[in-house]
């Protein structure tokens, strides 16, 4: 068998190269006519490629990104590992705005205040989360810059909250991130005198009681000022104003308003205060302008608001200091203990109640019961509360609680018919429309809010159907009073919250 010498291999390589050159020459000769045009095209293409600006980060931008990312790492890994996340980096860099509260996804809020109101209950105040402000350690200049940059986002937030406060009853979900569970919490009205400011800032307050075994309440009890919580909402609840004939009476003056008795157990006082705020104000709305001064009180507020009595049940006196029971209030003719009475020192819930009573002494009453003092809500308490809302309350001995004149109610009307209310869910109620032939007189509302056992005892349990919690039939103490004719079931609707 022969082998190839180096000389022969070299000759073969040369021959192969010659053949390639010939092929190349052949193709170039066959396209000689387009060669010159392609050459010029190639030249212009080359020039255009050279003229394209190459993307380069400036030294300033590079240093800015490095500083932000380094600050994020230092803040997240060393200072507060649970405070910021990688998802906040685009917001820190100004690429996107911080998300605003919405009913479909959870968004971050920051705890800015925390008040311990009793040994088991506390109030947290939150506002929209601003990662840049947090990263800069609360620098006011940076905070103001960020506020201006996210003005559009803030306006969207204001609109969401404005609609919710205008509606009256609403809640948001707060998430426990480790267990990925969420619970509904009802925001408290803003502190007295701070309503407009809180609306502008988008702040929310929640009364929370730490419950043994409560996943979300236990989680929230461990958080401090500066920590982050995730909210989803708002979710609108029952339309109280329309059921009371509130809107119709304010516009036409020809229809009678209903009255409200609200039985609140523990933190169930929060929705009671929401109803009171909707009835007595102030509730603000913003015009089409952009200036803060254009915020104004809503116009559909009647000159004389409906009567309302809240009975608030607590386990301990520390939750409701200086709050009388309903019997003491009745003996005094449902008037304030003193026209010059000072508000309870400190915070908590009492200042809200005292302020409403001070501004509406004829229309609003509140009383408390305390378990440890052997005082509880019973049938007599409910009757006293019902009588306290009549035009001239005297005594609960009278079996008649009738005030409104009879009006025609469509049995299928979800706003004014108790039978239709059985299958109604509060999450869908804001979409309900009156089905009565003519605008009905307002209905009296007996509302119950609190733990499930509290609601079941006085009004019967709620019922689950098709994935929604619905009102169900009225039972318990209230049903017994209606069966005995002590409370007129044709005029009083029961709402379980």
């Amino acid at each position: 068998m022969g082998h190839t010498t180096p000389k022969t291999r070299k000759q073969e390589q040369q021959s192969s190269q010659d053949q390639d050159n010939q092929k190349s020459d052949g193709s170039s000769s066959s396209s000689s006519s387009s060669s010159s045009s392609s050459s010029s095209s190639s030249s212009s293409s080359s020039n255009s490629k050279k003229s394209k600006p190459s993307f380069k980060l400036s030294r300033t931008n590079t240093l800015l990104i490095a500083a932000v990312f380094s600050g994020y790492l230092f803040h997240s890994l060393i200072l507060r590992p649970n405070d910021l996340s990688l998802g906040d980096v685009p917001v820190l860099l100004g690429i996107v705005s911080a998300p605003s509260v919405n009913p479909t996804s959870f968004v971050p809020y920051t705890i800015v205040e925390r008040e311990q109101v009793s040994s088991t209950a506390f109030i947290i105040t939150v506002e929209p989360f601003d990662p840049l402000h947090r990263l800069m350690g609360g620098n006011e200049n940076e905070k103001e810059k960020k506020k201006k940059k996210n003005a559009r986002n803030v306006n969207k937030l204001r609109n969401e909250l404005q609609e919710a406060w205008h509606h009256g009853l609403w809640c948001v979900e707060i998430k426990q991130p480790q267990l990925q569970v969420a619970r509904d919490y009802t925001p408290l009205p803003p502190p007295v005198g701070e309503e407009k400011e809180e609306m502008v800032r988008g702040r929310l307050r929640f009364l929370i009681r730490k419950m043994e075994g409560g996943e979300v309440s236990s989680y929230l009890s461990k958080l401090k000022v500066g920590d982050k919580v995730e909210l989803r909402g708002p979710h609108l609840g029952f339309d109280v104003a329309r059921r009371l004939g509130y809107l119709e009476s304010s516009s036409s003056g020809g229809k009678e308003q209903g009255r409200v008795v609200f039985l609140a157990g523990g933190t169930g006082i929060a929705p009671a205060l929401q109803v009171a705020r909707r009835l007595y104000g102030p509730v603000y709305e913003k015009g089409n302008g952009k200036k803060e001064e254009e915020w104004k009180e809503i116009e559909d507020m009647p000159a004389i608001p409906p009567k309302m009595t809240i009975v608030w049940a607590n386990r301990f006196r520390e939750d409701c200091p200086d709050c009388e029971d309903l019997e003491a209030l009745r003996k005094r003719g449902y008037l304030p203990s003193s026209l010059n009475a000072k508000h309870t020192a400190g915070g908590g819930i009492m200042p809200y109640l005292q302020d409403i009573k001070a501004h509406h002494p004829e229309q609003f009453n509140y009383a408390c019961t305390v378990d440890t003092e052997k005082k509880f809500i019973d049938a007599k308490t409910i009757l006293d509360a019902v009588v306290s809302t009549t035009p001239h309350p005297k005594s609960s001995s009278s079996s008649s609680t009738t005030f409104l004149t009879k009006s025609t109610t469509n049995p299928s009307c979800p706003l004014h018919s108790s039978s239709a209310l059985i299958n109604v869910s509060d999450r869908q109620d804001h979409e309900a429309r009156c089905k009565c032939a003519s605008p009905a007189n307002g209905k009296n509302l007996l509302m119950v809010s609190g733990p499930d056992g509290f609601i079941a005892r006085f009004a019967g349990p709620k019922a689950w159907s098709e994935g929604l919690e619905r009102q169900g039939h009225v039972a318990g103490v209230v049903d017994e009073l209606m069966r005995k004719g002590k409370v007129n079931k044709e005029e009083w609707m029961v709402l379980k919250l």
Side-chain angles (χ1 to χ4, degrees):
M1 178 182 290
H3 61 277
T4 306
T5 63
K7 182 179 180 181
T8 306
R9 186 181 296 115
K10 184 176 182 180
Q11 291 174 345
E12 290 176 349
Q13 291 174 350
Q14 183 66 34
S15 175
S16 175
Q17 185 175 353
D18 291 340
Q19 292 176 359
D20 291 339
N21 289 337
Q22 289 176 1
K23 291 179 180 179
S24 176
D25 292 342
S27 64
S28 63
S29 62
S30 64
S31 58
S32 59
S33 60
S34 61
S35 176
S36 58
S37 62
S38 65
S39 174
S40 61
S41 167
S42 173
S43 174
S44 64
S45 174
S46 174
N47 292 336
S48 65
K49 287 182 179 179
K50 290 179 181 178
S51 64
K52 282 185 178 180
S54 59
F55 177 77
K56 281 187 178 182
L57 286 174
S58 68
R59 181 181 179 82
T60 302
N61 290 339
T62 303
L63 290 176
L64 176 62
I65 293 174
V68 169
F69 195 72
S70 298
Y72 159 75
L73 291 177
F74 178 73
H75 187 97
S76 300
L77 300 179
I78 299 176
L79 296 181
R80 302 180 71 91
N82 296 322
D83 201 17
L84 296 174
S85 65
L86 279 174
D88 298 320
V89 172
V91 181
L92 293 172
L93 295 176
I95 299 174
V96 298
S97 298
S100 62
V101 65
N102 65 89
T104 57
S105 61
F106 285 95
V107 297
Y109 270 63
T110 303
I111 298 177
V112 294
E113 292 178 13
R114 189 184 190 280
E115 176 192 357
Q116 194 74 31
V117 296
S118 71
S119 58
T120 59
F122 55 96
I123 294 175
I124 60 171
T125 304
V126 302
E127 66 181 25
F129 178 63
D130 185 345
L132 183 59
H133 174 56
R134 304 299 310 286
L135 190 63
M136 298 300 177
N139 181 278
E140 290 300 322
N141 291 332
E142 293 296 336
K143 184 177 181 180
E144 290 304 318
K145 290 179 182 178
K146 191 66 176 179
K147 276 186 177 180
K148 292 179 181 179
K149 189 168 187 178
N150 289 336
R152 184 181 303 174
N153 203 47
V154 171
N155 284 333
K156 182 179 179 182
L157 168 65
R158 290 172 182 168
N159 292 337
E160 291 279 0
L161 298 184
Q162 176 181 319
E163 179 185 357
W165 285 119
H166 194 169
H167 178 77
L169 274 173
W170 60 286
C171 68
V172 299
E173 298 169 78
I174 301 181
K175 184 168 70 173
Q176 207 281 31
Q178 286 82 27
L179 299 178
Q180 291 294 302
V181 297
R183 297 287 183 269
D184 289 348
Y185 284 90
T186 301
L188 293 167
V192 176
E194 300 180 24
E195 293 85 0
K196 184 185 295 185
E197 178 186 355
E198 297 298 280
M199 179 70 79
V200 172
R201 299 176 69 174
R203 280 191 168 189
L204 298 174
R205 284 174 169 77
F206 302 95
L207 174 64
I208 298 166
R209 187 178 304 280
K210 182 182 178 182
M211 303 295 295
E212 185 177 352
E215 295 122 338
V216 180
S217 64
S218 297
Y219 160 73
L220 293 174
S221 69
K222 299 173 184 177
L223 300 181
K224 303 178 292 296
V225 171
D227 287 337
K228 186 167 63 173
V229 294
E230 293 184 81
L231 274 57
R232 180 168 64 188
H235 303 300
L236 303 183
F238 286 113
D239 194 333
V240 173
R242 292 196 180 280
R243 282 193 170 86
L244 289 172
Y246 188 106
L247 301 181
E248 286 77 7
S249 62
S250 63
S251 59
S252 66
K255 296 297 178 181
E256 296 173 346
Q257 296 178 124
R259 299 165 280 148
V260 180
V261 168
F262 203 117
L263 308 180
T267 57
I269 189 66
L273 291 174
Q274 280 193 347
V275 172
R277 189 192 185 198
R278 182 63 182 90
L279 301 186
Y280 302 106
V283 180
Y284 288 94
E285 62 181 359
K286 195 174 189 302
N288 296 326
K290 298 181 179 179
K291 295 182 180 179
E292 180 180 334
E293 291 75 14
E294 294 179 6
W295 285 83
K296 61 180 181 179
E297 290 192 46
I298 61 176
E299 296 179 355
D300 56 351
M301 303 284 286
I304 303 178
K307 282 202 166 192
M308 178 179 185
T309 295
I310 297 175
V311 184
W312 184 22
N314 292 279
R315 289 187 178 183
F316 307 102
R317 173 56 66 181
E318 62 177 348
D319 288 305
C320 54
D322 303 325
C323 186
E324 296 179 304
D325 59 29
L326 201 57
E327 184 176 357
L329 186 64
R330 178 175 58 81
K331 289 179 179 179
R332 203 175 55 253
Y334 302 100
L335 295 174
S337 57
S338 171
L339 294 178
N340 298 318
K342 295 181 180 179
H343 284 184
T344 299
I349 298 300
M350 292 305 299
Y352 292 93
L353 297 168
Q354 292 167 337
D355 182 73
I356 300 171
K357 182 65 176 177
H359 286 86
H360 304 277
E362 299 291 331
Q363 304 302 115
F364 178 75
N365 289 301
Y366 69 91
C368 300
T369 63
V370 180
D371 293 357
T372 56
E373 297 176 2
K374 307 299 182 183
K375 294 183 177 179
F376 309 94
I377 295 178
D378 55 17
K380 184 178 183 304
T381 308
I382 297 174
L383 282 179
D384 280 344
V386 168
V387 171
S388 72
T389 63
T390 59
H392 304 288
K394 294 181 180 180
S395 170
S396 61
S397 59
S398 173
S399 61
S400 174
T401 60
T402 301
F403 170 57
L404 297 179
T405 57
K406 291 184 178 180
S407 61
T408 303
T409 299
N410 188 326
S412 65
C413 178
L415 291 180
H416 301 107
S417 170
S418 295
S419 57
L421 187 63
I422 294 173
N423 297 315
V424 172
S425 167
D426 60 347
R427 288 292 177 89
Q428 298 175 327
D429 191 65
H430 65 280
E431 302 173 351
R433 297 292 180 267
C434 180
K435 295 183 178 180
C436 301
S438 60
N441 285 328
K443 288 283 187 177
N444 300 322
L445 299 181
L446 203 164
M447 307 178 72
V448 188
S449 176
D452 290 341
F454 182 87
I455 295 174
R457 170 173 170 72
F458 294 107
K462 298 180 186 179
W464 281 89
S465 175
E466 299 178 356
L468 291 173
E469 192 175 40
R470 305 178 188 275
Q471 287 292 281
H473 293 275
V474 176
V477 178
V478 173
D479 179 56
E480 185 177 350
L481 290 173
M482 287 181 168
R483 289 177 183 274
K484 292 180 179 180
K486 298 290 186 180
V487 176
N488 190 327
K489 64 180 180 180
E490 298 299 324
E491 295 182 356
W492 285 87
M493 295 185 73
V494 178
L495 293 180
K496 311 171 195 177
L497 306 182

